Amino acid sequence: MIAAPAHGAPVPQGDYVPARRSGKLIVTAGMTPRIDGRLAYPGPVRSDAAVEQNHEAVVLACSNALRAARSLLQPGEELDAILSMTVYIAAEPGFTAHSRLADAASAFLRQELGDAGICSRAAVGVASLPGGAPVEIQLMAAVR
Protein backbone atom coordinates (compact mmCIF):
# COMPACT_ATOMS: atom_id res chain seq x y z
CA MET A 1 0.00 0.00 0.00
CA ILE A 2 1.21 3.52 -0.76
CA ALA A 3 1.65 5.56 2.41
CA ALA A 4 0.64 9.21 2.65
CA PRO A 5 2.81 11.72 4.51
CA ALA A 6 2.10 11.45 8.23
CA HIS A 7 1.70 15.13 9.17
CA GLY A 8 0.07 18.29 7.93
CA ALA A 9 -2.88 18.89 5.71
CA PRO A 10 -2.87 17.73 2.10
CA VAL A 11 -2.11 20.37 -0.54
CA PRO A 12 -5.30 21.92 -2.00
CA GLN A 13 -5.75 21.45 -5.74
CA GLY A 14 -7.67 24.73 -6.14
CA ASP A 15 -8.95 27.81 -4.34
CA TYR A 16 -10.06 26.23 -1.06
CA VAL A 17 -8.71 25.06 2.30
CA PRO A 18 -8.23 21.39 3.20
CA ALA A 19 -10.44 21.74 6.28
CA ARG A 20 -12.40 24.38 8.17
CA ARG A 21 -13.11 24.56 11.88
CA SER A 22 -15.88 26.26 13.83
CA GLY A 23 -15.75 25.69 17.57
CA LYS A 24 -15.60 21.94 18.15
CA LEU A 25 -16.61 21.00 14.60
CA ILE A 26 -14.24 20.32 11.68
CA VAL A 27 -15.38 19.76 8.10
CA THR A 28 -12.89 18.66 5.48
CA ALA A 29 -12.82 19.36 1.79
CA GLY A 30 -13.24 16.35 -0.44
CA MET A 31 -9.94 14.47 -0.56
CA THR A 32 -8.76 12.27 -3.39
CA PRO A 33 -6.01 9.61 -3.32
CA ARG A 34 -3.08 11.99 -3.74
CA ILE A 35 0.45 12.03 -2.37
CA ASP A 36 2.19 15.41 -2.40
CA GLY A 37 -0.51 16.74 -4.71
CA ARG A 38 -0.13 13.95 -7.30
CA LEU A 39 -2.88 11.44 -8.00
CA ALA A 40 -1.64 8.00 -6.92
CA TYR A 41 -4.56 6.01 -8.36
CA PRO A 42 -6.44 6.94 -11.55
CA GLY A 43 -10.16 6.37 -12.02
CA PRO A 44 -12.75 5.43 -12.83
CA VAL A 45 -13.59 2.39 -10.75
CA ARG A 46 -14.14 -0.44 -13.21
CA SER A 47 -17.41 -2.30 -13.07
CA ASP A 48 -15.71 -5.65 -13.77
CA ALA A 49 -12.93 -5.28 -11.19
CA ALA A 50 -12.97 -6.77 -7.70
CA VAL A 51 -13.92 -4.15 -5.12
CA GLU A 52 -10.71 -4.91 -3.21
CA GLN A 53 -8.63 -3.61 -6.13
CA ASN A 54 -9.70 -0.08 -5.15
CA HIS A 55 -9.24 -0.34 -1.39
CA GLU A 56 -5.80 1.32 -1.40
CA ALA A 57 -7.18 4.35 -3.26
CA VAL A 58 -10.06 4.63 -0.79
CA VAL A 59 -7.77 4.32 2.24
CA LEU A 60 -5.38 6.94 0.87
CA ALA A 61 -8.23 9.39 0.21
CA CYS A 62 -9.62 8.77 3.70
CA SER A 63 -6.17 9.15 5.23
CA ASN A 64 -5.83 12.52 3.49
CA ALA A 65 -9.21 13.64 4.86
CA LEU A 66 -8.25 12.53 8.37
CA ARG A 67 -4.91 14.38 8.09
CA ALA A 68 -6.76 17.51 7.00
CA ALA A 69 -9.04 17.29 10.06
CA ARG A 70 -6.16 16.60 12.44
CA SER A 71 -4.18 19.55 11.05
CA LEU A 72 -6.66 21.89 12.77
CA LEU A 73 -6.28 20.39 16.24
CA GLN A 74 -4.62 22.49 18.91
CA PRO A 75 -2.02 21.00 21.29
CA GLY A 76 -3.73 18.63 23.72
CA GLU A 77 -6.83 18.21 21.54
CA GLU A 78 -7.93 15.09 19.74
CA LEU A 79 -10.81 14.05 17.56
CA ASP A 80 -13.76 13.02 19.71
CA ALA A 81 -15.65 11.38 16.86
CA ILE A 82 -16.04 11.26 13.12
CA LEU A 83 -19.68 12.31 12.77
CA SER A 84 -20.20 11.82 9.06
CA MET A 85 -18.38 10.64 5.97
CA THR A 86 -19.34 11.04 2.33
CA VAL A 87 -17.61 8.76 -0.17
CA TYR A 88 -17.95 9.83 -3.80
CA ILE A 89 -17.09 7.09 -6.30
CA ALA A 90 -16.44 7.71 -9.98
CA ALA A 91 -17.35 4.36 -11.46
CA GLU A 92 -18.13 2.88 -14.82
CA PRO A 93 -21.77 2.16 -15.64
CA GLY A 94 -22.85 -1.09 -14.04
CA PHE A 95 -20.81 -0.69 -10.86
CA THR A 96 -23.11 -1.28 -7.88
CA ALA A 97 -20.79 -2.01 -4.94
CA HIS A 98 -20.56 1.57 -3.67
CA SER A 99 -21.22 0.63 -0.04
CA ARG A 100 -18.75 -2.25 -0.14
CA LEU A 101 -16.07 0.07 -1.48
CA ALA A 102 -16.86 2.68 1.17
CA ASP A 103 -16.41 -0.06 3.80
CA ALA A 104 -12.64 0.26 3.24
CA ALA A 105 -12.81 3.87 4.47
CA SER A 106 -14.97 2.88 7.44
CA ALA A 107 -12.51 0.13 8.38
CA PHE A 108 -9.59 2.59 8.13
CA LEU A 109 -11.31 5.10 10.44
CA ARG A 110 -12.15 2.35 12.95
CA GLN A 111 -8.53 1.17 12.86
CA GLU A 112 -7.20 4.70 13.39
CA LEU A 113 -9.74 5.96 15.95
CA GLY A 114 -11.49 2.94 17.44
CA ASP A 115 -15.15 3.55 18.23
CA ALA A 116 -14.67 7.28 17.56
CA GLY A 117 -14.17 6.37 13.90
CA ILE A 118 -17.58 4.74 13.51
CA CYS A 119 -19.79 7.28 11.74
CA SER A 120 -22.83 7.83 9.59
CA ARG A 121 -21.97 7.57 5.92
CA ALA A 122 -23.14 8.07 2.38
CA ALA A 123 -21.62 6.30 -0.63
CA VAL A 124 -22.47 8.18 -3.82
CA GLY A 125 -21.79 7.23 -7.43
CA VAL A 126 -20.77 10.11 -9.71
CA ALA A 127 -19.84 10.44 -13.38
CA SER A 128 -16.38 11.89 -12.71
CA LEU A 129 -14.17 13.41 -10.02
CA PRO A 130 -11.44 16.08 -10.06
CA GLY A 131 -8.28 15.10 -11.89
CA GLY A 132 -9.71 11.74 -12.89
CA ALA A 133 -9.71 10.40 -9.32
CA PRO A 134 -11.64 7.20 -8.61
CA VAL A 135 -12.82 8.33 -5.17
CA GLU A 136 -13.21 11.49 -3.09
CA ILE A 137 -13.92 11.51 0.66
CA GLN A 138 -15.23 14.27 2.91
CA LEU A 139 -15.37 14.05 6.72
CA MET A 140 -17.17 15.93 9.48
CA ALA A 141 -15.55 15.53 12.91
CA ALA A 142 -16.06 16.67 16.49
CA VAL A 143 -13.13 17.81 18.65
CA ARG A 144 -12.58 16.81 22.27
Side-chain angles (χ1 to χ4, degrees):
M1 177 164 50
I2 295 178
H7 301 289
V11 177
Q13 300 300 300
D15 189 14
Y16 62 92
V17 294
R20 184 76 181 207
R21 180 174 177 169
S22 179
K24 298 287 187 180
L25 184 66
I26 295 174
V27 178
T28 72
M31 296 290 163
T32 56
R34 293 178 182 273
I35 299 173
D36 296 328
R38 299 187 70 184
L39 189 65
Y41 298 93
V45 172
R46 294 177 41 125
S47 61
D48 63 348
V51 171
E52 296 76 19
Q53 286 183 286
N54 294 286
H55 280 189
E56 288 184 7
V58 171
V59 168
L60 180 55
C62 194
S63 171
N64 285 340
L66 185 58
R67 283 182 35 238
R70 284 177 167 161
S71 75
L72 296 181
L73 295 175
Q74 299 298 316
E77 290 183 327
E78 58 186 46
L79 295 177
D80 185 41
I82 303 299
L83 302 174
S84 178
M85 173 172 56
T86 305
V87 180
Y88 300 96
I89 301 164
E92 293 179 337
F95 181 80
T96 60
H98 299 80
S99 288
R100 286 185 41 227
L101 189 52
D103 283 344
S106 294
F108 170 77
L109 290 174
R110 186 185 306 247
Q111 175 187 328
E112 288 292 309
L113 302 169
D115 287 346
I118 302 168
C119 63
S120 63
R121 174 185 95 188
V124 181
V126 298
S128 67
L129 288 168
V135 65
E136 181 172 333
I137 295 178
Q138 181 183 31
L139 299 176
M140 180 183 298
V143 176
R144 175 180 347 184

